[in-house]
Amino acid sequence: MKIIDMHCDTISRIYQEQKRQKQTHLRKNSFQIDLTKMKSTAYLLQNFALFIDLGETAIPYETFLGQLAVFREEMAQNADLIAPVTSYSQILTNERQGKMSALLTLEEGEVCGGSPVRLQEIYDLGIRMMTFTWNYPNSLGYPAEPAPFTALSKSVTGYEDNTRLSSLKSAYQTAYSRPKKGLTSLGIEFLAEMERLGIIPDVSHLSDEGIRDVCRLATKPFCASHSNARSLCGRGRNLPDDLIRTISQKGGIIGVNYYGPFLSDKPNEDDIFFSRIKDIAQHICHISDIGGIYCIGLGSDFDGIDGNLELENCSQMELLAHELQKCGLHTNEIEQIFYRNALNFYQELLE
């Protein structure tokens, strides 16, 4: 069965390993995703996120460019197996040629530094999907589960003076004093510009208020690339039923996340969370019940989540298919979830 996964952090992880002088590459590695494992499981397309942690970089755009260079190098070295895409037609061409496709995304809108000109630049560099935030308030909006500024300030490295740190502190003070913690006026401007350019808005990590802003203002479908159902797990990163329903009504898609703490509220007796396949299936079934079968996709968050996974890596996707069959889903419904819904979404939005 073909697979489209709407979110992983594999490129960012390779970037970090290479910075530590460890020879790690995309073709074969010990991570949750590599091309060898993907090929064995009939992946059609993988979204590769460039994840930028504002607490670990003094200049987010430079870190973005560094990760972009890793992505391009890996695509060049593995052109026999995979090719980058920016359009729906390229996905079909790659499939005809026996290749998998790679769609480049950005996780942290503050990489643009609040500049619509820079948004145009990242589009020109191949980005076709972007989150407004990660876990820090920024110039575009407020996150679902904001990290405290004290945690950020302790982790910041690379600051020869406190200019950037002071700027971040000021941004935090401004963000936490906002009466409505959704999109800012600049975030609303970015939403319109993203739609104009052809960058798909990704509301994963965005606050409920921010997602409601996107639901109200968006003129095209958008996604939550790696988010689950709050009715089953009460984390703020998960979506309440009304937002699941509205995203579906807007023609959007939700990629179900495999991260243990987003699947269940209950850790084990040692206070450790595990990602269980039956819990992933339950979130899929709940989202189907609320928003309909056509709004669901896969958003593993592989290589951005810890190792307490029953579904250990991308080569084991048949285990999730079997669990969904046990839940009563038919083969055509599982195909919708595994790839058809995302493929139809990209057909509409990727020119």
Side-chain angles (χ1 to χ4, degrees), residues 239-302:
L239 297 167
D241 287 353
D242 68 305
L243 287 179
I244 292 172
R245 192 174 295 111
T246 304
I247 291 170
S248 177
Q249 291 169 349
K250 297 284 287 187
I253 187 169
I254 299 162
V256 173
N257 191 316
Y258 306 168
Y259 185 41
F262 295 167
L263 291 168
S264 173
D265 291 314
K266 299 176 181 178
N268 69 4
E269 60 275 8
D270 296 319
D271 203 33
I272 297 172
F273 285 92
F274 284 84
S275 170
R276 296 183 172 86
I277 296 170
K278 67 178 180 62
D279 292 329
I280 300 173
Q282 286 176 0
H283 280 264
I284 288 172
C285 290
H286 180 83
I287 292 170
S288 176
D289 289 342
I290 298 301
I293 191 68
Y294 297 105
C295 77
I296 312 168
L298 302 175
S300 67
D301 210 2
F302 272 147

Side-chain angles (χ1 to χ4, degrees), residues 130-150:
M130 186 181 85
T131 68
F132 292 88
T133 64
W134 184 56
N135 290 344
Y136 306 125
N138 64 24
S139 64
L140 304 181
Y142 198 86
E145 295 189 352
F149 178 76
T150 52

